PDB file of all heavy atoms in Angstrom:
ATOM      1  N   GLN A   1       0.817  -1.205   0.000  1.00  0.00           N
ATOM      2  CA  GLN A   1       0.000   0.000   0.000  1.00  0.00           C
ATOM      3  C   GLN A   1       0.857   1.264   0.000  1.00  0.00           C
ATOM      4  O   GLN A   1       0.515   2.262  -0.623  1.00  0.00           O
ATOM      5  CB  GLN A   1      -0.938   0.011   1.211  1.00  0.00           C
ATOM      6  CG  GLN A   1      -1.997   1.106   1.160  1.00  0.00           C
ATOM      7  CD  GLN A   1      -2.815   1.039  -0.119  1.00  0.00           C
ATOM      8  OE1 GLN A   1      -3.355  -0.014  -0.481  1.00  0.00           O
ATOM      9  NE2 GLN A   1      -2.902   2.158  -0.832  1.00  0.00           N
ATOM     10  N   ILE A   2       1.997   1.206   0.692  1.00  0.00           N
ATOM     11  CA  ILE A   2       2.904   2.362   0.694  1.00  0.00           C
ATOM     12  C   ILE A   2       3.389   2.653  -0.723  1.00  0.00           C
ATOM     13  O   ILE A   2       3.398   3.804  -1.179  1.00  0.00           O
ATOM     14  CB  ILE A   2       4.102   2.114   1.638  1.00  0.00           C
ATOM     15  CG1 ILE A   2       3.638   2.087   3.089  1.00  0.00           C
ATOM     16  CG2 ILE A   2       5.171   3.188   1.443  1.00  0.00           C
ATOM     17  CD1 ILE A   2       4.724   1.714   4.074  1.00  0.00           C
ATOM     18  N   LEU A   3       3.794   1.616  -1.444  1.00  0.00           N
ATOM     19  CA  LEU A   3       4.279   1.829  -2.809  1.00  0.00           C
ATOM     20  C   LEU A   3       3.177   2.313  -3.734  1.00  0.00           C
ATOM     21  O   LEU A   3       3.393   3.177  -4.589  1.00  0.00           O
ATOM     22  CB  LEU A   3       4.903   0.545  -3.350  1.00  0.00           C
ATOM     23  CG  LEU A   3       6.381   0.347  -3.033  1.00  0.00           C
ATOM     24  CD1 LEU A   3       6.873  -0.981  -3.585  1.00  0.00           C
ATOM     25  CD2 LEU A   3       7.227   1.480  -3.583  1.00  0.00           C
ATOM     26  N   PHE A   4       1.970   1.766  -3.591  1.00  0.00           N
ATOM     27  CA  PHE A   4       0.846   2.254  -4.385  1.00  0.00           C
ATOM     28  C   PHE A   4       0.639   3.752  -4.155  1.00  0.00           C
ATOM     29  O   PHE A   4       0.453   4.532  -5.091  1.00  0.00           O
ATOM     30  CB  PHE A   4      -0.438   1.508  -4.016  1.00  0.00           C
ATOM     31  CG  PHE A   4      -0.727   0.320  -4.880  1.00  0.00           C
ATOM     32  CD1 PHE A   4      -0.926  -0.931  -4.315  1.00  0.00           C
ATOM     33  CD2 PHE A   4      -0.819   0.439  -6.256  1.00  0.00           C
ATOM     34  CE1 PHE A   4      -1.198  -2.036  -5.100  1.00  0.00           C
ATOM     35  CE2 PHE A   4      -1.091  -0.657  -7.050  1.00  0.00           C
ATOM     36  CZ  PHE A   4      -1.286  -1.894  -6.472  1.00  0.00           C
ATOM     37  N   THR A   5       0.671   4.148  -2.903  1.00  0.00           N
ATOM     38  CA  THR A   5       0.448   5.549  -2.547  1.00  0.00           C
ATOM     39  C   THR A   5       1.537   6.447  -3.128  1.00  0.00           C
ATOM     40  O   THR A   5       1.255   7.510  -3.711  1.00  0.00           O
ATOM     41  CB  THR A   5       0.392   5.710  -1.020  1.00  0.00           C
ATOM     42  OG1 THR A   5      -0.672   4.908  -0.497  1.00  0.00           O
ATOM     43  CG2 THR A   5       0.173   7.166  -0.632  1.00  0.00           C
ATOM     44  N   GLU A   6       2.785   6.028  -2.991  1.00  0.00           N
ATOM     45  CA  GLU A   6       3.894   6.847  -3.468  1.00  0.00           C
ATOM     46  C   GLU A   6       3.896   6.944  -4.997  1.00  0.00           C
ATOM     47  O   GLU A   6       4.130   8.016  -5.563  1.00  0.00           O
ATOM     48  CB  GLU A   6       5.224   6.269  -2.977  1.00  0.00           C
ATOM     49  CG  GLU A   6       5.430   6.356  -1.478  1.00  0.00           C
ATOM     50  CD  GLU A   6       5.439   7.790  -0.983  1.00  0.00           C
ATOM     51  OE1 GLU A   6       6.019   8.658  -1.661  1.00  0.00           O
ATOM     52  OE2 GLU A   6       4.850   8.051   0.081  1.00  0.00           O
ATOM     53  N   LEU A   7       3.639   5.844  -5.675  1.00  0.00           N
ATOM     54  CA  LEU A   7       3.582   5.885  -7.136  1.00  0.00           C
ATOM     55  C   LEU A   7       2.452   6.791  -7.607  1.00  0.00           C
ATOM     56  O   LEU A   7       2.606   7.576  -8.550  1.00  0.00           O
ATOM     57  CB  LEU A   7       3.410   4.478  -7.697  1.00  0.00           C
ATOM     58  CG  LEU A   7       4.644   3.584  -7.635  1.00  0.00           C
ATOM     59  CD1 LEU A   7       4.268   2.127  -7.902  1.00  0.00           C
ATOM     60  CD2 LEU A   7       5.698   4.047  -8.627  1.00  0.00           C
ATOM     61  N   GLY A   8       1.305   6.696  -6.933  1.00  0.00           N
ATOM     62  CA  GLY A   8       0.181   7.554  -7.294  1.00  0.00           C
ATOM     63  C   GLY A   8       0.491   9.022  -7.099  1.00  0.00           C
ATOM     64  O   GLY A   8       0.113   9.871  -7.918  1.00  0.00           O
ATOM     65  N   SER A   9       1.201   9.343  -6.022  1.00  0.00           N
ATOM     66  CA  SER A   9       1.533  10.743  -5.751  1.00  0.00           C
ATOM     67  C   SER A   9       2.486  11.314  -6.791  1.00  0.00           C
ATOM     68  O   SER A   9       2.566  12.521  -6.991  1.00  0.00           O
ATOM     69  CB  SER A   9       2.154  10.873  -4.354  1.00  0.00           C
ATOM     70  OG  SER A   9       3.449  10.292  -4.318  1.00  0.00           O
ATOM     71  N   LEU A  10       3.227  10.435  -7.469  1.00  0.00           N
ATOM     72  CA  LEU A  10       4.147  10.864  -8.517  1.00  0.00           C
ATOM     73  C   LEU A  10       3.496  10.850  -9.901  1.00  0.00           C
ATOM     74  O   LEU A  10       4.146  11.108 -10.901  1.00  0.00           O
ATOM     75  CB  LEU A  10       5.377   9.963  -8.524  1.00  0.00           C
ATOM     76  CG  LEU A  10       6.303  10.119  -7.315  1.00  0.00           C
ATOM     77  CD1 LEU A  10       7.248   8.937  -7.221  1.00  0.00           C
ATOM     78  CD2 LEU A  10       7.088  11.414  -7.407  1.00  0.00           C
ATOM     79  N   GLY A  11       2.207  10.515  -9.947  1.00  0.00           N
ATOM     80  CA  GLY A  11       1.479  10.562 -11.202  1.00  0.00           C
ATOM     81  C   GLY A  11       1.571   9.309 -12.043  1.00  0.00           C
ATOM     82  O   GLY A  11       1.242   9.336 -13.228  1.00  0.00           O
ATOM     83  N   TYR A  12       1.989   8.199 -11.456  1.00  0.00           N
ATOM     84  CA  TYR A  12       2.106   6.947 -12.203  1.00  0.00           C
ATOM     85  C   TYR A  12       0.886   6.078 -11.950  1.00  0.00           C
ATOM     86  O   TYR A  12       0.532   5.798 -10.801  1.00  0.00           O
ATOM     87  CB  TYR A  12       3.388   6.208 -11.828  1.00  0.00           C
ATOM     88  CG  TYR A  12       4.606   6.843 -12.452  1.00  0.00           C
ATOM     89  CD1 TYR A  12       5.218   7.929 -11.842  1.00  0.00           C
ATOM     90  CD2 TYR A  12       5.099   6.399 -13.668  1.00  0.00           C
ATOM     91  CE1 TYR A  12       6.314   8.543 -12.424  1.00  0.00           C
ATOM     92  CE2 TYR A  12       6.198   7.009 -14.251  1.00  0.00           C
ATOM     93  CZ  TYR A  12       6.802   8.079 -13.629  1.00  0.00           C
ATOM     94  OH  TYR A  12       7.875   8.696 -14.204  1.00  0.00           O
ATOM     95  N   GLU A  13       0.261   5.661 -13.024  1.00  0.00           N
ATOM     96  CA  GLU A  13      -0.956   4.872 -12.932  1.00  0.00           C
ATOM     97  C   GLU A  13      -0.638   3.411 -12.641  1.00  0.00           C
ATOM     98  O   GLU A  13       0.139   2.780 -13.343  1.00  0.00           O
ATOM     99  CB  GLU A  13      -1.734   4.967 -14.242  1.00  0.00           C
ATOM    100  CG  GLU A  13      -3.033   4.182 -14.247  1.00  0.00           C
ATOM    101  CD  GLU A  13      -3.739   4.243 -15.586  1.00  0.00           C
ATOM    102  OE1 GLU A  13      -3.226   4.928 -16.497  1.00  0.00           O
ATOM    103  OE2 GLU A  13      -4.797   3.597 -15.714  1.00  0.00           O
ATOM    104  N   CYS A  14      -1.244   2.869 -11.597  1.00  0.00           N
ATOM    105  CA  CYS A  14      -1.050   1.474 -11.219  1.00  0.00           C
ATOM    106  C   CYS A  14      -2.257   0.644 -11.639  1.00  0.00           C
ATOM    107  O   CYS A  14      -3.396   1.100 -11.572  1.00  0.00           O
ATOM    108  CB  CYS A  14      -0.863   1.344  -9.707  1.00  0.00           C
ATOM    109  SG  CYS A  14       0.605   2.155  -9.037  1.00  0.00           S
ATOM    110  N   LEU A  15      -1.993  -0.572 -12.077  1.00  0.00           N
ATOM    111  CA  LEU A  15      -3.077  -1.503 -12.348  1.00  0.00           C
ATOM    112  C   LEU A  15      -3.659  -2.004 -11.032  1.00  0.00           C
ATOM    113  O   LEU A  15      -2.926  -2.180 -10.063  1.00  0.00           O
ATOM    114  CB  LEU A  15      -2.575  -2.699 -13.151  1.00  0.00           C
ATOM    115  CG  LEU A  15      -2.039  -2.449 -14.559  1.00  0.00           C
ATOM    116  CD1 LEU A  15      -1.556  -3.765 -15.158  1.00  0.00           C
ATOM    117  CD2 LEU A  15      -3.106  -1.830 -15.438  1.00  0.00           C
ATOM    118  N   PRO A  16      -4.970  -2.254 -10.986  1.00  0.00           N
ATOM    119  CA  PRO A  16      -5.542  -2.910  -9.797  1.00  0.00           C
ATOM    120  C   PRO A  16      -4.828  -4.230  -9.564  1.00  0.00           C
ATOM    121  O   PRO A  16      -4.542  -4.967 -10.505  1.00  0.00           O
ATOM    122  CB  PRO A  16      -7.007  -3.119 -10.187  1.00  0.00           C
ATOM    123  CG  PRO A  16      -7.274  -2.118 -11.265  1.00  0.00           C
ATOM    124  CD  PRO A  16      -5.979  -1.980 -12.018  1.00  0.00           C
ATOM    125  N   SER A  17      -4.506  -4.531  -8.319  1.00  0.00           N
ATOM    126  CA  SER A  17      -3.680  -5.706  -8.046  1.00  0.00           C
ATOM    127  C   SER A  17      -4.120  -6.413  -6.774  1.00  0.00           C
ATOM    128  O   SER A  17      -4.518  -5.782  -5.798  1.00  0.00           O
ATOM    129  CB  SER A  17      -2.215  -5.287  -7.905  1.00  0.00           C
ATOM    130  OG  SER A  17      -1.426  -6.348  -7.426  1.00  0.00           O
ATOM    131  N   ARG A  18      -4.039  -7.723  -6.828  1.00  0.00           N
ATOM    132  CA  ARG A  18      -4.208  -8.545  -5.626  1.00  0.00           C
ATOM    133  C   ARG A  18      -2.940  -9.376  -5.473  1.00  0.00           C
ATOM    134  O   ARG A  18      -2.254  -9.675  -6.429  1.00  0.00           O
ATOM    135  CB  ARG A  18      -5.416  -9.465  -5.753  1.00  0.00           C
ATOM    136  CG  ARG A  18      -6.721  -8.749  -5.943  1.00  0.00           C
ATOM    137  CD  ARG A  18      -7.226  -8.119  -4.638  1.00  0.00           C
ATOM    138  NE  ARG A  18      -8.298  -7.179  -4.908  1.00  0.00           N
ATOM    139  CZ  ARG A  18      -9.544  -7.516  -5.176  1.00  0.00           C
ATOM    140  NH1 ARG A  18      -9.869  -8.789  -5.217  1.00  0.00           N
ATOM    141  NH2 ARG A  18     -10.444  -6.601  -5.399  1.00  0.00           N
ATOM    142  N   GLY A  19      -2.677  -9.773  -4.256  1.00  0.00           N
ATOM    143  CA  GLY A  19      -1.478 -10.572  -4.046  1.00  0.00           C
ATOM    144  C   GLY A  19      -0.274  -9.697  -3.809  1.00  0.00           C
ATOM    145  O   GLY A  19      -0.364  -8.608  -3.246  1.00  0.00           O
ATOM    146  N   ASN A  20       0.883 -10.153  -4.268  1.00  0.00           N
ATOM    147  CA  ASN A  20       2.122  -9.406  -4.045  1.00  0.00           C
ATOM    148  C   ASN A  20       2.708  -8.926  -5.370  1.00  0.00           C
ATOM    149  O   ASN A  20       3.846  -9.197  -5.713  1.00  0.00           O
ATOM    150  CB  ASN A  20       3.131 -10.234  -3.250  1.00  0.00           C
ATOM    151  CG  ASN A  20       3.360 -11.619  -3.838  1.00  0.00           C
ATOM    152  OD1 ASN A  20       2.579 -12.103  -4.644  1.00  0.00           O
ATOM    153  ND2 ASN A  20       4.438 -12.270  -3.436  1.00  0.00           N
ATOM    154  N   PHE A  21       1.883  -8.186  -6.109  1.00  0.00           N
ATOM    155  CA  PHE A  21       2.286  -7.582  -7.379  1.00  0.00           C
ATOM    156  C   PHE A  21       1.912  -6.103  -7.379  1.00  0.00           C
ATOM    157  O   PHE A  21       0.884  -5.713  -6.831  1.00  0.00           O
ATOM    158  CB  PHE A  21       1.559  -8.223  -8.564  1.00  0.00           C
ATOM    159  CG  PHE A  21       1.860  -9.667  -8.788  1.00  0.00           C
ATOM    160  CD1 PHE A  21       1.126 -10.644  -8.154  1.00  0.00           C
ATOM    161  CD2 PHE A  21       2.867 -10.053  -9.659  1.00  0.00           C
ATOM    162  CE1 PHE A  21       1.389 -11.982  -8.370  1.00  0.00           C
ATOM    163  CE2 PHE A  21       3.135 -11.387  -9.883  1.00  0.00           C
ATOM    164  CZ  PHE A  21       2.395 -12.356  -9.236  1.00  0.00           C
ATOM    165  N   ILE A  22       2.752  -5.304  -8.023  1.00  0.00           N
ATOM    166  CA  ILE A  22       2.389  -3.929  -8.355  1.00  0.00           C
ATOM    167  C   ILE A  22       2.814  -3.698  -9.794  1.00  0.00           C
ATOM    168  O   ILE A  22       3.969  -3.912 -10.147  1.00  0.00           O
ATOM    169  CB  ILE A  22       3.088  -2.898  -7.447  1.00  0.00           C
ATOM    170  CG1 ILE A  22       2.694  -3.111  -5.985  1.00  0.00           C
ATOM    171  CG2 ILE A  22       2.734  -1.481  -7.884  1.00  0.00           C
ATOM    172  CD1 ILE A  22       3.433  -2.204  -5.022  1.00  0.00           C
ATOM    173  N   SER A  23       1.872  -3.271 -10.634  1.00  0.00           N
ATOM    174  CA  SER A  23       2.185  -2.978 -12.032  1.00  0.00           C
ATOM    175  C   SER A  23       1.800  -1.531 -12.318  1.00  0.00           C
ATOM    176  O   SER A  23       0.699  -1.101 -11.999  1.00  0.00           O
ATOM    177  CB  SER A  23       1.397  -3.898 -12.971  1.00  0.00           C
ATOM    178  OG  SER A  23       1.700  -5.251 -12.725  1.00  0.00           O
ATOM    179  N   PHE A  24       2.719  -0.785 -12.922  1.00  0.00           N
ATOM    180  CA  PHE A  24       2.408   0.600 -13.249  1.00  0.00           C
ATOM    181  C   PHE A  24       3.015   0.979 -14.594  1.00  0.00           C
ATOM    182  O   PHE A  24       3.987   0.385 -15.040  1.00  0.00           O
ATOM    183  CB  PHE A  24       2.891   1.556 -12.154  1.00  0.00           C
ATOM    184  CG  PHE A  24       4.375   1.560 -11.926  1.00  0.00           C
ATOM    185  CD1 PHE A  24       5.174   2.517 -12.522  1.00  0.00           C
ATOM    186  CD2 PHE A  24       4.962   0.617 -11.101  1.00  0.00           C
ATOM    187  CE1 PHE A  24       6.540   2.531 -12.305  1.00  0.00           C
ATOM    188  CE2 PHE A  24       6.326   0.628 -10.874  1.00  0.00           C
ATOM    189  CZ  PHE A  24       7.122   1.589 -11.481  1.00  0.00           C
ATOM    190  N   ASP A  25       2.407   1.967 -15.228  1.00  0.00           N
ATOM    191  CA  ASP A  25       2.787   2.373 -16.571  1.00  0.00           C
ATOM    192  C   ASP A  25       4.006   3.285 -16.520  1.00  0.00           C
ATOM    193  O   ASP A  25       3.949   4.383 -15.982  1.00  0.00           O
ATOM    194  CB  ASP A  25       1.607   3.100 -17.225  1.00  0.00           C
ATOM    195  CG  ASP A  25       1.865   3.422 -18.683  1.00  0.00           C
ATOM    196  OD1 ASP A  25       2.977   3.142 -19.171  1.00  0.00           O
ATOM    197  OD2 ASP A  25       0.953   3.951 -19.333  1.00  0.00           O
ATOM    198  N   CYS A  26       5.116   2.820 -17.120  1.00  0.00           N
ATOM    199  CA  CYS A  26       6.337   3.628 -17.109  1.00  0.00           C
ATOM    200  C   CYS A  26       6.502   4.446 -18.386  1.00  0.00           C
ATOM    201  O   CYS A  26       7.367   5.300 -18.464  1.00  0.00           O
ATOM    202  CB  CYS A  26       7.563   2.748 -16.926  1.00  0.00           C
ATOM    203  SG  CYS A  26       7.945   1.740 -18.367  1.00  0.00           S
ATOM    204  N   LYS A  27       5.670   4.148 -19.415  1.00  0.00           N
ATOM    205  CA  LYS A  27       5.716   4.884 -20.686  1.00  0.00           C
ATOM    206  C   LYS A  27       7.118   4.888 -21.298  1.00  0.00           C
ATOM    207  O   LYS A  27       7.574   5.896 -21.839  1.00  0.00           O
ATOM    208  CB  LYS A  27       5.220   6.308 -20.488  1.00  0.00           C
ATOM    209  CG  LYS A  27       3.809   6.396 -19.927  1.00  0.00           C
ATOM    210  CD  LYS A  27       3.383   7.845 -19.746  1.00  0.00           C
ATOM    211  CE  LYS A  27       1.971   7.936 -19.199  1.00  0.00           C
ATOM    212  NZ  LYS A  27       1.884   7.423 -17.825  1.00  0.00           N
ATOM    213  N   GLU A  28       7.801   3.756 -21.188  1.00  0.00           N
ATOM    214  CA  GLU A  28       9.161   3.649 -21.711  1.00  0.00           C
ATOM    215  C   GLU A  28       9.359   2.281 -22.327  1.00  0.00           C
ATOM    216  O   GLU A  28       8.872   1.273 -21.798  1.00  0.00           O
ATOM    217  CB  GLU A  28      10.168   3.854 -20.577  1.00  0.00           C
ATOM    218  CG  GLU A  28      11.599   3.471 -20.898  1.00  0.00           C
ATOM    219  CD  GLU A  28      12.302   4.483 -21.775  1.00  0.00           C
ATOM    220  OE1 GLU A  28      11.693   5.535 -22.050  1.00  0.00           O
ATOM    221  OE2 GLU A  28      13.450   4.236 -22.179  1.00  0.00           O
ATOM    222  N   ASP A  29      10.037   2.238 -23.455  1.00  0.00           N
ATOM    223  CA  ASP A  29      10.385   0.950 -24.031  1.00  0.00           C
ATOM    224  C   ASP A  29      11.259   0.180 -23.043  1.00  0.00           C
ATOM    225  O   ASP A  29      12.250   0.690 -22.522  1.00  0.00           O
ATOM    226  CB  ASP A  29      11.138   1.140 -25.342  1.00  0.00           C
ATOM    227  CG  ASP A  29      11.502  -0.194 -25.975  1.00  0.00           C
ATOM    228  OD1 ASP A  29      10.664  -0.765 -26.683  1.00  0.00           O
ATOM    229  OD2 ASP A  29      12.623  -0.663 -25.723  1.00  0.00           O
ATOM    230  N   SER A  30      10.878  -1.059 -22.805  1.00  0.00           N
ATOM    231  CA  SER A  30      11.506  -1.816 -21.730  1.00  0.00           C
ATOM    232  C   SER A  30      13.002  -2.042 -21.941  1.00  0.00           C
ATOM    233  O   SER A  30      13.806  -1.896 -21.024  1.00  0.00           O
ATOM    234  CB  SER A  30      10.802  -3.159 -21.573  1.00  0.00           C
ATOM    235  OG  SER A  30      10.835  -3.873 -22.793  1.00  0.00           O
ATOM    236  N   LYS A  31      13.379  -2.427 -23.137  1.00  0.00           N
ATOM    237  CA  LYS A  31      14.792  -2.724 -23.383  1.00  0.00           C
ATOM    238  C   LYS A  31      15.646  -1.465 -23.284  1.00  0.00           C
ATOM    239  O   LYS A  31      16.774  -1.506 -22.780  1.00  0.00           O
ATOM    240  CB  LYS A  31      14.951  -3.382 -24.751  1.00  0.00           C
ATOM    241  CG  LYS A  31      14.355  -4.785 -24.805  1.00  0.00           C
ATOM    242  CD  LYS A  31      14.587  -5.439 -26.153  1.00  0.00           C
ATOM    243  CE  LYS A  31      14.005  -6.850 -26.176  1.00  0.00           C
ATOM    244  NZ  LYS A  31      14.196  -7.513 -27.489  1.00  0.00           N
ATOM    245  N   ASP A  32      15.105  -0.343 -23.765  1.00  0.00           N
ATOM    246  CA  ASP A  32      15.845   0.911 -23.653  1.00  0.00           C
ATOM    247  C   ASP A  32      16.081   1.272 -22.191  1.00  0.00           C
ATOM    248  O   ASP A  32      17.181   1.678 -21.793  1.00  0.00           O
ATOM    249  CB  ASP A  32      15.083   2.050 -24.339  1.00  0.00           C
ATOM    250  CG  ASP A  32      15.121   1.935 -25.852  1.00  0.00           C
ATOM    251  OD1 ASP A  32      15.931   1.127 -26.368  1.00  0.00           O
ATOM    252  OD2 ASP A  32      14.353   2.644 -26.523  1.00  0.00           O
ATOM    253  N   ALA A  33      15.023   1.111 -21.379  1.00  0.00           N
ATOM    254  CA  ALA A  33      15.145   1.439 -19.963  1.00  0.00           C
ATOM    255  C   ALA A  33      16.169   0.539 -19.285  1.00  0.00           C
ATOM    256  O   ALA A  33      16.967   0.983 -18.458  1.00  0.00           O
ATOM    257  CB  ALA A  33      13.789   1.309 -19.276  1.00  0.00           C
ATOM    258  N   PHE A  34      16.145  -0.733 -19.650  1.00  0.00           N
ATOM    259  CA  PHE A  34      17.087  -1.678 -19.049  1.00  0.00           C
ATOM    260  C   PHE A  34      18.526  -1.307 -19.399  1.00  0.00           C
ATOM    261  O   PHE A  34      19.417  -1.323 -18.556  1.00  0.00           O
ATOM    262  CB  PHE A  34      16.769  -3.087 -19.516  1.00  0.00           C
ATOM    263  CG  PHE A  34      17.725  -4.120 -18.987  1.00  0.00           C
ATOM    264  CD1 PHE A  34      17.815  -4.361 -17.629  1.00  0.00           C
ATOM    265  CD2 PHE A  34      18.536  -4.850 -19.834  1.00  0.00           C
ATOM    266  CE1 PHE A  34      18.681  -5.315 -17.125  1.00  0.00           C
ATOM    267  CE2 PHE A  34      19.424  -5.796 -19.342  1.00  0.00           C
ATOM    268  CZ  PHE A  34      19.494  -6.030 -17.984  1.00  0.00           C
ATOM    269  N   ASN A  35      18.752  -0.956 -20.659  1.00  0.00           N
ATOM    270  CA  ASN A  35      20.110  -0.580 -21.079  1.00  0.00           C
ATOM    271  C   ASN A  35      20.589   0.668 -20.344  1.00  0.00           C
ATOM    272  O   ASN A  35      21.771   0.785 -20.007  1.00  0.00           O
ATOM    273  CB  ASN A  35      20.142  -0.362 -22.592  1.00  0.00           C
ATOM    274  CG  ASN A  35      20.017  -1.660 -23.359  1.00  0.00           C
ATOM    275  OD1 ASN A  35      20.411  -2.716 -22.869  1.00  0.00           O
ATOM    276  ND2 ASN A  35      19.450  -1.601 -24.559  1.00  0.00           N
TER     277      ASN A  35
END
């Protein structure tokens, strides 16, 4: 819940989640971000 709150305060949209997952939109190509 802390991470959901902090991500939301920074303007990042999180998917509804159950369990021990948090998914949010980073608007970045994954491989580019990894590099």
Side-chain angles (χ1 to χ4, degrees):
Q1 190 55 52
I2 292 174
L3 273 178
F4 266 125
T5 301
E6 293 299 320
L7 286 166
S9 70
L10 291 164
Y12 284 84
E13 180 183 358
C14 296
L15 296 178
S17 170
R18 300 285 166 77
N20 51 343
F21 296 88
I22 299 175
S23 300
F24 62 97
D25 186 357
C26 71
K27 302 180 179 67
E28 167 76 5
D29 181 85
S30 57
K31 291 183 179 179
D32 288 347
F34 178 63
N35 289 332

